[in-house]
């Protein structure tokens, strides 16, 4: 998808929608080895000796030693935290208006990191420079190498201060970026042989098998992935989103807006007015849990309240930007499996 095309979409709508578009800025990594599939090239371990990592842009970052001053998108920092890797600074949704950790911050103690920006287009370059960053890490929601939440206006200044690593979360199943984050954390000194890490990976595999069996046992249960804003309701298709692509591969029966209807959403979603929120019938509705979206309890539209799945209490949370650690992805899979196992057919 071209950046020119992306620029035509409503920024607020994109941030609220269940599938997100990469509207950040491309920061060029050091090195230049190109390949479609990245891979860790750290051979000396994270404690001493040279460090290198090939990211999902095919760019290799090479440093004299493993980076100590890491700055990362909040969701990436939360995943690294689960593997025992700490960061110095974060950017992206980190704390809510009441000062509590944002859902994308995971288990991090946000009082111990420098927040460079908490909302879209916020990134304090001066604070970033003061951290003496060794590397910047973010996700990518397109195939152009655009780093998520790195502002277009300041991308060049940011790029000059440290190399960057991009992990793709675009048009693939969630197992791929989960593995890439595992490799990155390992290269940065994470203890991937710890019981916490290995048990989480095993639980993810078990949860996935549970979901596969649930989808096979209840093939008629229809699931819709939605997201709410004041003006519009967004229905996500399964293409492009790492979680939905994976769930579909496991057999989950999703509402699929036609490609033509998703065109204005860059192929991610269809936008519906609240008057037309009943366009699709579903037994379970998965709702975007990000702070940029209105949560189900706060939706006041009468048309929403009349939906069969809503009336039946069959609405569950969906992490449209999953924290890429196995520990955080387990409940996403388990919750959907449980919902399918217990759902009443109401559509």
């Amino acid at each position: 998808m071209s950046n020119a095309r992306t620029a035509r979409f409503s920024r607020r709508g994109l941030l609220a929608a269940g599938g997100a578009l990469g509207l950040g800025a491309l920061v060029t990594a050091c090195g230049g080895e190109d390949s479609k599939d990245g891979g860790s090239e750290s051979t000396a371990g994270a404690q001493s000796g040279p460090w290198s990592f090939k990211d999902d842009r095919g760019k290799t970052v090479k440093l004299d030693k493993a980076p100590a001053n890491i700055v990362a998108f909040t969701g990436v920092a939360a995943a690294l935290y689960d593997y025992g890797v700490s960061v110095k600074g974060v950017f992206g949704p980190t704390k809510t208006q009441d000062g509590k950790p944002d859902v994308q911050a995971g288990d991090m103690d946000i009082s111990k990191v420098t927040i460079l920006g908490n909302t879209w287009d916020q990134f304090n370059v001066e604070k970033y420079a003061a951290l003496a960053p060794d590397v910047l890490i973010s996700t990518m929601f397109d195939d152009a190498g655009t780093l998520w939440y790195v502002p277009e206006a300041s991308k060049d200044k940011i790029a000059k201060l440290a190399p960057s690593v991009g992990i793709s979360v675009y048009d693939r199943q969630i197992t791929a970026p989960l593995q890439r984050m595992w490799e990155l954390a390992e290269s940065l000194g994470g203890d991937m042989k710890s019981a916490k890490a290995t048990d989480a990976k095993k639980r993810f595999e078990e949860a996935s098998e549970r979901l596969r069996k649930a989808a096979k046992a209840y093939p008629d249960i229809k699931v819709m992935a939605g997201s709410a804003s004041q003006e519009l309701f967004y229905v996500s298709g399964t293409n492009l989103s790492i979680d939905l692509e994976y769930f579909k591969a496991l057999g989950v029966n999703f509402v699929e807006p036609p490609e033509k209807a998703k065109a204005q959403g860059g192929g991610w979603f269809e936008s519906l007015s609240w008057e037309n929120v009943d366009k699709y019938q579903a037994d379970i509705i998965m709702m975007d849990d990000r702070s940029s979206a209105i949560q189900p309890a706060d939706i006041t539209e009468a048309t929403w309240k009349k939906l069969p799945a809503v009336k039946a209490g069959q609405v569950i949370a969906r992490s449209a930007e999953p924290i890429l650690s196995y520990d955080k992805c387990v409940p996403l899979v388990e919750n959907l499996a449980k919902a399918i196992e217990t759902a009443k057919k109401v559509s």
Side-chain angles (χ1 to χ4, degrees), residues 86-280:
S86 298
V87 306
K88 292 294 181 68
V90 297
F91 55 96
T94 306
K95 62 180 179 180
T96 59
Q97 291 183 347
D98 58 5
K100 296 180 180 179
D102 188 275
V103 65
Q104 295 192 61
D107 294 332
M108 279 195 304
D109 183 346
I110 62 174
S111 69
K112 294 183 178 180
V113 295
T114 298
I115 300 174
L116 303 175
N118 196 62
T119 61
W120 187 257
D121 264 350
Q122 278 189 356
F123 193 112
N124 190 313
V125 180
E126 289 72 25
K127 281 188 177 181
Y128 179 56
L131 291 175
D134 294 319
V135 68
L136 178 148
I137 309 171
S138 191
T139 48
M140 302 181 296
F141 280 91
D142 63 17
D143 57 5
T146 307
L147 294 176
W148 191 229
Y149 267 81
V150 174
E152 178 70 21
S154 54
K155 67 174 185 178
D156 293 336
K157 291 181 180 179
I158 293 168
K160 292 176 181 178
L161 294 170
S164 63
V165 168
I167 300 297
S168 179
V169 288
Y170 175 74
D171 195 17
R172 60 202 63 204
Q173 295 178 27
I174 196 171
T175 45
L178 273 172
Q179 178 60 29
R180 295 295 286 130
M181 192 62 70
W182 177 284
E183 293 168 359
L184 178 59
E186 185 174 34
S187 79
L188 294 170
D191 185 0
M192 317 315 287
K193 295 182 180 180
S194 69
K196 179 182 179 181
T198 57
D199 288 352
K201 194 171 186 179
K202 181 180 179 181
R203 287 188 292 112
F204 178 82
E205 294 166 353
E206 293 171 345
S208 297
E209 184 59 27
R210 178 183 174 183
L211 179 55
R212 187 194 304 276
K213 290 180 179 178
K216 184 176 181 180
Y218 304 99
D220 294 334
I221 296 297
K222 198 82 171 178
V223 180
M224 179 167 67
S227 186
S229 71
Q230 289 285 71
E231 298 85 6
L232 297 169
F233 182 81
Y234 306 90
V235 180
S236 292
T238 57
N239 291 340
L240 307 184
S241 296
I242 57 173
D243 60 330
L244 302 185
E245 284 200 11
Y246 184 57
F247 298 154
K248 182 181 180 181
L250 293 176
V252 177
N253 183 7
F254 278 101
V255 168
E256 291 282 7
E259 291 303 315
K260 185 176 181 180
K262 295 188 295 181
Q264 289 188 333
W268 293 86
F269 56 85
E270 178 180 1
S271 304
L272 299 175
S273 66
W274 283 103
E275 289 76 14
N276 296 317
V277 74
D278 60 353
K279 178 177 180 179
Y280 299 108

Side-chain angles (χ1 to χ4, degrees), residues 30-98:
C30 290
E33 230 180 292
D34 291 337
S35 79
K36 182 176 173 99
D37 297 319
S40 173
E41 295 186 352
S42 175
T43 56
Q47 303 306 315
S48 62
W51 178 88
S52 66
F53 189 87
K54 184 184 289 185
D55 75 358
D56 290 340
R57 297 168 297 184
K59 303 295 184 179
T60 302
V61 176
K62 297 180 179 180
L63 300 173
D64 292 337
K65 59 181 179 179
N69 295 342
I70 302 169
V71 172
F73 172 70
T74 301
V76 170
L80 293 176
Y81 178 87
D82 284 350
Y83 293 132
V85 178
S86 298
V87 306
K88 292 294 181 68
V90 297
F91 55 96
T94 306
K95 62 180 179 180
T96 59
Q97 291 183 347
D98 58 5

